[in-house]
Amino acid sequence: MSPDPAALRPVPRPGVLAIEAYVPGKSGAPGAHPVYKLSSNETPLGPSPAAVAAMRETAGGLAVYPDGNSTALRSAIAAKYGLDPARIVCGAGSDELLSLLAYAFVGPGDEGIYAEHGFLVYRIAILAAGATPVVAPERDLTADVDAILAAVTPRTRIVYIANPNNPTGTYLPFAEVRRLHAGLPGNVLLVLDGAYAEYVRRNDYSAGLDLVLQSENVVMTRTFSKIYGLAALRIGWMVAPPTIADAVNRIRGPFNLSTAGIAAGAAAIHDEAHVAAAAAHNEAWLPRLTEAVAALGLTVTPSACNFILVHFPDAPGRSAAEADAHLTRRGVITRRVAAYGLPNALRVTIGSDPANEAFLAALTDFVRGEAPERGRDV
């Protein structure tokens, strides 16, 4: 009798093989020059010079382990927002924190909820924790509070909301966030992912800090990867009730941030002029790009972020896939979002002036049916 193949090798526990690995946006366009990467929502202004200088100063200490408590960074964040540093936990990007929250509070037999077009990491985190992901339908590509509350069951343990959301760029007014929280049982953790919060210019928006400080079951996560321009260093942070911060600290890696990351993050958060310049650049280009694309006859989802979601017809010669291929040949790299349930859309980052102009020129040619010259300068 042949032995059971499963007995001959380690087998992942249930749920792990159901995970579709996260695939980042592409970053190259073979044969094209120059190349403009508009696929990852990186700031075109780059990092703060103060952050670069702080990182360089750490080079002589590469043989020494980093501060396992990220004290300097937590203190800098606390000073900026008027927080108790004990309520702040830092992570290798906010992605790590989103996963750690699931590992700490969700397990087999539990459920975690996220919105229909929410960040893919939420599903991965829930499955990796051994729980069941539950998708709440959206309304007009925006999280629907009523749909989320309708999805809550006695097994629900966590709800993830990206506000504003990636990849749609839409957001929930803070009154709606409060209504969502009020409708959740006290034992359900509400995670407010504010990765793009610094870009929002809406009077009815809040990243949720006040709600965290007033509640026992709300966490807000933030990142240094977007407006601060430190994506390569992988720096994220969250503010939480003391009991939740304590639980996450018990399971996170003791040296999950590098010394360079701690130093650069602490310097970046104090460089308010650099952040203001990045926000101003985005504020100037976001409506301009939106209007220009709409003038070509394409639908653009109104965005509060540093990117736009462009919708294409599901027709031969006009599709998002063909547009993406055309743009790539012209050296403009955008993000396919079929994995988010949006096969007929492309997400396009607000880039530098030349990058934005190159995108508009290439997209105009695509819409007009003009064949590109492979690899030509734009």
Side-chain angles (χ1 to χ4, degrees):
M1 186 175 185
S2 300
D4 180 0
L8 301 179
R9 62 182 182 275
V11 176
R13 61 175 172 72
V16 172
L17 295 183
I19 295 172
E20 295 181 10
Y22 183 86
V23 179
K26 63 181 184 288
S27 58
H33 179 78
V35 173
Y36 299 107
K37 184 186 176 191
L38 302 179
S39 59
S40 297
N41 299 340
E42 297 149 339
T43 172
L45 272 62
S48 158
V52 175
M55 183 185 73
R56 286 175 174 161
E57 289 178 4
T58 70
L62 295 182
V64 180
Y65 280 104
D67 171 15
N69 292 316
S70 301
T71 305
L73 179 55
R74 289 168 53 239
S75 296
I77 294 168
K80 178 176 177 62
Y81 291 99
L83 299 171
D84 177 1
R87 300 184 66 158
I88 298 171
V89 181
C90 294
S94 55
D95 292 0
E96 181 190 31
L97 298 169
L98 295 169
S99 294
L100 289 175
L101 287 165
Y103 303 156
F105 293 96
V106 182
D110 295 334
E111 295 175 348
I113 299 173
Y114 60 96
E116 181 179 2
H117 302 297
F119 188 32
L120 292 176
V121 166
Y122 307 150
R123 173 180 172 84
I124 292 172
I126 293 165
L127 284 169
T132 300
V134 175
V135 181
E138 294 183 356
R139 180 182 300 173
D140 298 327
L141 297 181
T142 305
D144 185 334
V145 169
D146 293 317
I148 294 170
L149 292 176
V152 174
T153 74
R155 294 182 295 277
T156 304
R157 292 293 176 270
I158 196 166
V159 174
Y160 289 102
I161 293 290
N163 199 30
N165 185 58
N166 168 34
T168 62
T170 57
Y171 77 101
L172 278 180
F174 192 48
E176 283 293 277
V177 176
R178 284 195 175 278
R179 187 166 74 85
L180 171 60
H181 175 249
L184 292 175
N187 67 335
V188 174
L189 178 61
L190 176 59
V191 181
L192 303 176
D193 179 355
Y196 296 91
E198 291 88 356
Y199 286 108
V200 184
R201 297 294 182 270
R202 302 289 194 279
N203 291 334
D204 59 352
Y205 173 80
S206 169
L209 181 58
D210 289 346
L211 190 59
V212 175
L213 299 180
Q214 297 164 5
S215 310
E216 294 296 325
N217 64 333
V218 183
V219 171
M220 179 189 72
T221 64
R222 301 287 281 270
T223 184
F224 281 84
S225 296
K226 304 305 178 186
I227 203 166
Y228 288 102
L230 300 179
L233 289 175
R234 310 308 301 127
I235 312 166
W237 62 278
M238 74 177 201
V239 59
T243 54
I244 294 175
D246 175 65
V248 171
N249 275 322
R250 290 171 185 268
I251 60 173
R252 71 172 176 83
F255 304 110
N256 59 334
L257 261 68
S258 68
T259 298
I262 294 168
I269 204 166
H270 288 309
D271 191 348
E272 295 182 0
H274 186 76
V275 173
H281 176 85
N282 194 70
E283 195 169 1
W285 267 106
L286 181 60
R288 180 177 171 184
L289 220 58
T290 300
E291 292 164 9
V293 174
L296 294 174
L298 299 172
T299 299
V300 182
T301 299
S303 174
C305 299
N306 69 330
F307 58 83
I308 58 173
L309 187 68
V310 184
H311 301 268
F312 294 81
D314 186 12
R318 301 273 291 167
S319 70
E322 290 165 295
D324 184 56
H326 173 99
L327 292 166
T328 299
R329 288 192 293 269
R330 291 282 291 269
V332 179
I333 310 303
T334 59
R335 181 72 150 103
R336 294 291 310 280
V337 286
Y340 286 91
L342 297 164
N344 298 317
L346 296 178
R347 191 191 70 192
V348 185
T349 305
I350 306 299
S352 64
D353 292 359
N356 297 334
E357 297 288 3
F359 163 68
L360 288 175
L363 184 65
T364 299
D365 287 351
F366 173 77
V367 170
R368 293 175 178 172
E370 299 178 12
E373 299 174 20
R374 183 176 180 84
R376 76 179 184 181
D377 289 354
V378 290

